[in-house]
Amino acid sequence: MKNCIMLIVVAGFLFSGCATSSKQMDLETQRLRTQIGTLEQQLKDSEKEIEILEIQLERERQTRRNLERQILAEKSKLADFQTLPRPSVRNIQEALRKAGFYDGAVDGKLGPKTKEAIKNFQRSRGLQVDGIVGKATWRELAKYLTDKQK
């Protein structure tokens, strides 16, 4: 009987230790599963963030391409403007004639008819109406002189 009791006590002790180990293993497994779940969610969040950044990067690239095109267009305009003839009164009168704003003589004299034609041209292009052929007016007017009408 003593042996049986002793065997029961030893068995109880052993089984209780296994139960504790089993509980610890279950807790550790659960902790690891939770940690894996957290890491998987972080990975999904990071992947979403990468997608968003890739979209933003593509938009920035498109904006850059558009700006580069605009710069090239402005450089081309500048090059065209730099190759224009000087705005002599004869050039102004000839351009105004080709644009349909002047029907007087191309005599190189800045008379009232030429000044009125300049003002009418400026008005039609939304420029400052002052009768003076400045840079903006000449840029628009010279297109008719060089046959680059728009």
Side-chain angles (χ1 to χ4, degrees):
M1 184 72 149
K2 265 184 164 183
N3 285 340
C4 264
I5 293 176
M6 182 73 128
L7 188 59
I8 292 173
V9 171
V10 170
F13 180 73
L14 288 175
F15 284 121
S16 72
C18 288
T20 304
S21 291
S22 177
K23 259 187 180 179
Q24 286 176 344
M25 286 179 63
D26 288 346
L27 288 173
E28 183 65 16
T29 301
Q30 184 59 38
R31 186 186 69 74
L32 290 172
R33 284 186 180 146
T34 302
Q35 190 174 5
I36 289 170
T38 302
L39 291 171
E40 286 175 340
Q41 186 60 47
Q42 288 175 349
L43 180 61
K44 284 180 187 177
D45 292 346
S46 295
E47 288 171 345
K48 285 180 185 177
E49 189 175 337
I50 288 170
E51 285 180 38
I52 291 168
L53 290 172
E54 286 174 341
I55 291 168
Q56 289 174 342
L57 179 61
E58 185 53 38
R59 286 180 185 155
E60 292 296 325
R61 285 179 177 152
Q62 185 62 40
T63 300
R64 182 181 175 145
R65 285 189 293 266
N66 290 341
L67 288 173
E68 286 172 348
R69 278 189 226 115
Q70 289 175 357
I71 288 169
L72 288 175
E74 291 300 318
K75 282 182 178 179
S76 175
K77 286 180 188 177
L78 179 62
D80 288 347
F81 183 71
Q82 289 173 338
T83 61
L84 295 176
R86 299 186 126 239
S88 68
V89 176
R90 281 188 186 276
N91 287 341
I92 291 168
Q93 289 172 328
E94 184 63 34
L96 286 167
R97 175 178 281 190
K98 287 182 178 182
F101 288 88
Y102 182 71
D103 61 359
V106 178
D107 57 9
K109 296 179 183 173
L110 188 60
K113 205 169 186 178
T114 304
K115 283 187 179 183
E116 191 57 34
I118 293 168
K119 288 179 183 178
N120 288 335
F121 179 81
Q122 288 171 328
R123 217 173 271 112
S124 75
R125 297 299 188 273
L127 300 167
Q128 180 180 348
V129 180
D130 57 7
I132 299 169
V133 178
K135 288 180 182 180
T137 301
W138 184 238
R139 189 175 3 218
E140 291 297 314
L141 192 55
K143 294 173 187 175
Y144 293 92
L145 190 60
T146 60
D147 294 324
K148 292 185 180 180
Q149 299 176 22
K150 290 187 177 179

